[in-house]
């Protein structure tokens, strides 16, 4: 087949560059996702603790109200004591007072416990807040670089994609079909150079005859007998070989 090998090499090079940028774009996306997941995790913990604090504050408020009610009851009962006229009333009042005082004691103890819990929770929230701030700053720093890289990759892809389409159209139809078939079946580099006497796609050492043929006719190409990639002899390889 007579054809200039150059469009094939250009296509292979462009495609390799394009694949590199597409890969780096997907890696960057993953990195950005990972970076934000740390922030999201701290944010989630912060929200949970924040809700816990609100619930605890409500519980304290409720308890304080009940304590006031109980204290009012006790003082009312106390005020009634001088007005008691018989043993029976006295006994009833005494037991009511005892009960109320006991309840008050339990409530005050519970309030103390809730206060301690609140303090602990505040400390925890403070710590989480610091972590959240840190991870946020880290995220901003990390992703500003990543976003710039992503933008760069995006620009390169936008430039390389039309170039690839253009170059693919320049090569003969049968090679075009071969090329696309290879890529569909997962061979991302259907055209590759002979490097170190081997196919640079599958690394099989090639027969000297095949190398000699391509070397003596650098404008031709052959398929690798092992992986069937299109092989060409790169100009610089000649220098290394001699
Ligand atoms: Zn091969």
């Amino acid at each position: 087949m007579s054809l200039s090998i150059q469009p094939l090499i250009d296509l292979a090079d462009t495609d390799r560059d394009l694949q590199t940028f597409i890969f780096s774009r997907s890696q960057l996306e993953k990195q950005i996702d990972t970076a934000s997941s740390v922030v999201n995790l701290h944010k989630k913990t912060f929200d949970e603790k924040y809700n816990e604090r609100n619930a605890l504050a409500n519980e304290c408020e409720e308890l304080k109200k009940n304590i006031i009610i109980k204290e009012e009851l006790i003082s009312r009962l106390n005020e009634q004591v001088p007005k008691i006229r018989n043993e029976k009333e006295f006994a009833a009042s005494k037991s009511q007072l005892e009960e109320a005082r006991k309840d008050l004691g339990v409530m005050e103890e519970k309030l103390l416990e809730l206060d301690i819990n609140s303090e602990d929770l505040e400390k925890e929230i403070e710590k989480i807040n610091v972590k959240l701030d840190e991870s946020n700053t880290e995220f901003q720093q990390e992703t500003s670089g990543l976003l710039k890289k992503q933008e760069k990759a995006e620009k390169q892809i936008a430039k390389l994609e039309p170039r690839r389409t253009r170059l693919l159209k320049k090569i003969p139809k049968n090679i075009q079909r071969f090329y696309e078939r290879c890529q569909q079946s997962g061979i991302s580099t259907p055209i590759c150079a002979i490097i170190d006497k081997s196919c640079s796609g599958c690394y099989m050492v090639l027969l000297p005859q095949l190398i000699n043929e391509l070397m003596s006719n650098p404008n031709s190409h052959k398929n690798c007998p092992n992986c069937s990639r299109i092989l060409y002899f790169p100009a610089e390889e000649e220098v290394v070989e001699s």
Side-chain angles (χ1 to χ4, degrees):
M1 197 184 312
S2 69
L3 97 151
S4 166
I5 192 78
Q6 201 50 49
L8 275 183
I9 299 173
D10 290 345
L11 174 63
D13 288 346
T14 304
D15 229 9
R16 236 187 302 273
D17 288 347
L18 182 60
Q19 280 157 20
T20 306
F21 284 113
I22 288 174
F23 178 73
S24 103
R25 179 176 63 184
S26 80
Q27 289 300 99
L28 288 164
E29 271 167 18
K30 271 185 216 159
Q31 276 174 280
I32 292 168
D33 269 2
T34 311
S36 71
S37 76
V38 176
V39 178
N40 290 342
L41 198 72
H42 289 315
K43 181 90 184 71
K44 194 174 159 243
T45 320
F46 180 81
D47 287 346
E48 278 167 9
K49 292 290 165 191
Y50 191 81
N51 289 338
E52 216 176 293
R53 177 168 72 180
N54 281 348
L56 199 58
N58 286 340
E59 204 182 336
C60 280
E61 278 312 301
E62 200 62 30
L63 196 57
K64 278 177 193 164
K65 271 186 218 161
N66 288 334
I67 285 174
I68 291 170
I69 293 169
K70 203 55 89 177
E71 281 169 345
E72 281 168 358
L73 174 70
I74 291 168
S75 77
R76 263 204 316 280
L77 289 170
N78 275 328
E79 279 164 26
Q80 279 164 12
V81 174
K83 297 171 199 159
I84 290 171
R85 286 155 297 174
N86 57 50
E87 278 296 312
K88 204 178 152 196
E89 267 183 33
F90 185 76
S93 161
K94 197 184 161 204
S95 102
Q96 261 184 304
L97 258 173
E98 270 170 9
E99 180 119 352
R101 283 192 185 121
K102 206 177 108 196
D103 288 349
L104 185 64
V106 170
M107 284 194 232
E108 280 170 343
E109 228 169 277
K110 177 76 185 162
L111 187 63
L112 202 65
E113 191 190 311
L114 290 183
D115 276 343
I116 293 166
N117 287 351
S118 292
E119 264 175 52
D120 291 347
L121 197 57
E122 287 301 333
K123 276 179 209 156
E124 249 183 287
I125 287 174
E126 218 170 289
K127 272 187 211 159
I128 293 163
N129 219 350
V130 170
K131 272 190 199 163
L132 182 62
D133 276 350
E134 278 172 2
S135 67
N136 237 328
T137 312
E138 213 172 295
F139 175 75
Q140 302 291 348
Q141 285 169 350
E142 209 177 309
T143 49
S144 79
L146 292 177
L147 289 171
K148 265 181 217 154
K149 278 187 204 164
Q150 203 181 27
E151 203 182 314
K152 227 161 124 188
E154 213 66 72
K155 269 187 198 157
Q156 291 293 337
I157 291 166
K159 211 166 71 188
L160 290 167
E161 261 171 354
R163 189 193 292 171
R164 175 192 188 271
T165 313
R166 221 165 43 236
L167 289 168
L168 193 63
K169 275 181 196 154
K170 273 192 196 168
I171 64 172
K173 279 266 179 283
N174 60 335
I175 298 181
Q176 249 181 63
R177 278 197 297 275
F178 166 80
Y179 197 87
E180 284 171 330
R181 220 171 34 241
C182 278
Q183 292 199 322
Q184 275 158 17
S185 63
I187 299 171
S188 58
T189 54
I191 298 170
C192 48
I194 295 173
I195 296 172
D196 203 14
K197 293 176 187 164
S198 311
C199 162
S200 63
C202 69
Y203 305 109
M204 195 188 81
V205 177
L206 301 161
L207 289 172
Q209 195 199 344
L210 190 147
I211 298 173
N212 286 338
E213 275 175 46
L214 286 179
M215 216 162 128
S216 56
N217 188 3
N219 206 24
S220 67
H221 65 85
K222 280 194 178 294
N223 293 83
C224 168
N226 182 46
C227 68
S228 75
R229 280 182 176 88
I230 292 174
L231 294 170
Y232 65 91
F233 199 84
E236 58 267 32
E237 182 78 359
E238 223 161 350
V239 180
V240 175
E241 289 287 301
S242 61

